[in-house]
Amino acid sequence: MSSSNIQTIFRNEILLIAFITWAIAQAVKPFIGYLITRTFDWRMFFSTGGMPSSHATLVTSVAIGVGLIVGWATPLFAVAAVLAVVVIYDAAGVRRQAGIHAQTINVLVQEVLQGHPISETQLREVLGHTPIEVFGGVLWGSIATFTLWYVWR
């Protein structure tokens, strides 16, 4: 890949705006987590789950960026929108259920091993998002993308 191709990537407005909105969404997670739990956890910056959904933020931003640049009635926007819906559904549905299953399995393991000095690895429980976290991600992705788009121009 030539250096001119790399420079072109860094001038891609959709990509830049999407990653800025994603980074901000990730950065606020520890602070929103603190407001909810009164416990500050920096690991939330690097983890999945939490408010807002950075998955929903990222794909919403990309879809809106495509709509703004190439138009809302184009096949490219349709592809971006459909992929966004699939990712959002997965974040709120499949991954959330996997997290709930992990919680249940961890409780079962604790009950079975209670009193035994056996070391076990717990499953990650925060995999997906609640519907409000997904809504927060979609809302933030929309607001931030439109704002950055019009400030950028």
Side-chain angles (χ1 to χ4, degrees):
M1 199 171 191
S2 72
S3 64
S4 64
N5 288 339
I6 293 171
Q7 290 172 350
T8 303
I9 290 171
F10 289 109
R11 287 192 302 256
N12 184 318
E13 291 173 295
I14 295 172
L15 190 60
L16 291 174
I17 289 172
F19 279 116
I20 290 169
T21 61
W22 169 84
I24 294 169
Q26 279 298 117
V28 302
K29 284 183 180 187
F31 301 99
I32 293 174
Y34 176 79
L35 293 174
I36 294 168
T37 65
R38 297 292 181 220
T39 304
F40 199 82
D41 186 359
W42 279 105
R43 292 175 298 178
M44 289 294 294
F45 181 76
F46 300 104
S47 70
T48 60
M51 174 67 145
S53 165
S54 55
H55 291 87
T57 295
L58 183 67
V59 295
T60 298
S61 183
V62 167
I64 289 172
V66 169
L68 287 168
I69 290 178
V70 300
W72 303 101
T74 62
L76 189 55
F77 173 71
V79 170
V82 167
L83 289 176
V85 168
V86 168
V87 170
I88 291 167
Y89 175 79
D90 179 65
V94 176
R95 289 179 51 241
R96 180 71 181 150
Q97 286 301 310
I100 291 168
H101 291 171
Q103 285 176 328
T104 303
I105 292 169
N106 287 336
V107 168
L108 290 172
V109 167
Q110 287 298 322
E111 288 178 5
V112 168
L113 297 177
Q114 197 168 30
H116 295 86
I118 298 172
S119 174
E120 79 285 340
T121 302
Q122 291 205 339
L123 300 171
R124 292 198 58 217
E125 296 177 1
V126 183
L127 297 172
H129 295 281
T130 63
I132 193 72
E133 292 170 345
V134 171
F135 177 76
V138 169
L139 184 64
W140 170 246
S142 301
I143 291 169
T145 301
F146 280 115
T147 302
L148 288 171
W149 173 261
Y150 289 109
V151 167
W152 213 298
R153 301 233 161 228

